[in-house]
Amino acid sequence: MKLSIAIAALTASAANGNGQATAPTAICIESWRYQDQASWDSTLIPAFEAKHPNIKVTFAPNLDGSAAYYDQLPKQLANGTACDLITARPFDTSLELFNKGYLEDVTDMPVLDNFSKTAKTAWQTDDGKITFAVPMASVITGFIYNKDAFDALAIETPETQDDFYAALDKLKADG
């Protein structure tokens, strides 16, 4: 499924209405995930280029990782040096790029039919009306805590970032 979604996203970005490039085209894909280079080079790009021989794809990860990528990306978008396709972080980071006009409305891309409403949420406007990125992966994170330790220190379940940090401070002070 990941391969077909990646191919659909690539095709939509480089092709005319029938899915074929009208002339030789080059596409650059940018990401912080340098660890994915082998997968792109050995599987994703060859599969895409086999179906679309007039489109040459290059995967260009930021070798300095995530923090550097998101520090450099807005500057690259502003001066026109970013790749054609970028890896977009979920929620506010990419929403800010969309609000600045750097990301397109992709709400009507048929490939999005492959994703649940929940999977698309991280790349939508706050009202859920516009999708501005095609999901590649979904990661749900959360915290598991020791209720007994919280109870012993009279710590309420944190509901805000400030509550969370206050709980950490109390735990740290207790040793």
Side-chain angles (χ1 to χ4, degrees), residues 48-104:
F48 178 82
E49 289 178 347
K51 289 184 97 174
H52 307 279
N54 280 348
I55 304 173
K56 180 73 179 155
V57 179
T58 303
F59 180 68
N62 183 311
L63 299 179
D64 295 325
S66 182
Y69 177 74
Y70 270 94
D71 180 52
Q72 295 167 11
L73 183 61
K75 297 169 194 165
Q76 292 172 307
L77 290 166
N79 68 27
T81 60
C83 282
D84 306 296
L85 295 172
I86 62 168
T87 305
R89 284 271 195 208
F91 301 108
D92 290 347
T93 302
S94 292
L95 179 59
E96 182 179 341
L97 296 176
F98 174 75
N99 287 335
K100 289 182 177 179
Y102 296 128
L103 302 179
E104 296 287 327

Side-chain angles (χ1 to χ4, degrees), residues 28-153:
C28 177
I29 301 170
E30 194 163 357
S31 174
W32 70 88
R33 292 197 43 88
Y34 58 86
Q35 305 92 330
D36 295 342
Q37 184 82 56
S39 294
W40 281 96
D41 290 346
S42 67
T43 305
L44 295 170
I45 292 172
F48 178 82
E49 289 178 347
K51 289 184 97 174
H52 307 279
N54 280 348
I55 304 173
K56 180 73 179 155
V57 179
T58 303
F59 180 68
N62 183 311
L63 299 179
D64 295 325
S66 182
Y69 177 74
Y70 270 94
D71 180 52
Q72 295 167 11
L73 183 61
K75 297 169 194 165
Q76 292 172 307
L77 290 166
N79 68 27
T81 60
C83 282
D84 306 296
L85 295 172
I86 62 168
T87 305
R89 284 271 195 208
F91 301 108
D92 290 347
T93 302
S94 292
L95 179 59
E96 182 179 341
L97 296 176
F98 174 75
N99 287 335
K100 289 182 177 179
Y102 296 128
L103 302 179
E104 296 287 327
D105 179 347
V106 297
T107 305
D108 295 328
M109 283 183 73
V111 71
L112 289 172
D113 294 340
N114 294 310
F115 296 95
S116 69
K117 182 179 179 196
T118 302
K120 293 183 276 193
T121 301
W123 296 277
Q124 291 181 323
T125 53
D126 291 338
D127 62 10
K129 292 182 179 176
I130 299 172
T131 302
F132 49 81
V134 177
M136 268 181 35
S138 241
V139 178
I140 297 174
T141 58
F143 294 95
I144 298 171
Y145 66 95
N146 182 327
K147 186 166 177 11
D148 293 337
F150 273 52
D151 289 346
L153 296 174

